[in-house]
Amino acid sequence: ALRGVLGRFATGVTIVTCLDAQGQRVGLTANSFNALSLDPPLILWSLRQASPSLAAFSGAAHFAVNVLAESQVELSRRFASPVADKFDEGTWSEGLGGAPVLTGAAAVLECTLSVQQE
């Protein structure tokens, strides 16, 4: 399944999402996404230390990597900007652990945190 998702990663852009400690949806555009291993299936994505979303993702047990289709470029820009409610655009459902999952994404990885490197 991971190999299939990686084959859909043509745009090089994802929206990574989670719920923060208060249960609020958090999301950001990331292109720092890589596969570490197929067996076991492990991925890596990076977030800068100064990011206002760092605390939410550091404390989240679950997150989703929504691989964007070429037609979703405007949504990627929205999640890269300081917009009040980024989730007002797109159709979102609740994934593993409540992490927001984008309907119509090229692929979605619903993940649990394995290792956090600081």
Side-chain angles (χ1 to χ4, degrees), residues 5-86:
V5 168
L6 296 173
R8 294 176 176 264
F9 190 56
T11 64
V13 180
T14 65
I15 293 176
V16 184
T17 60
C18 72
L19 294 181
D20 68 11
Q22 291 75 40
Q24 297 298 307
R25 299 182 295 184
V26 176
L28 53 88
T29 299
N31 62 359
S32 60
F33 165 78
N34 293 288
L36 290 179
S37 169
L38 292 176
D39 187 20
L42 296 172
I43 62 160
L44 167 100
W45 69 280
S46 302
L47 183 59
R48 66 186 171 93
Q49 290 288 328
S51 172
S53 301
L54 183 63
F57 283 101
S58 294
H62 300 91
F63 64 95
V65 178
N66 300 274
V67 177
L68 300 183
E70 187 175 347
S71 63
Q72 295 169 317
V73 65
E74 290 304 318
L75 195 58
S76 75
R77 290 183 183 134
R78 180 180 185 82
F79 275 78
S81 303
V83 177
D85 188 357
K86 297 175 182 182

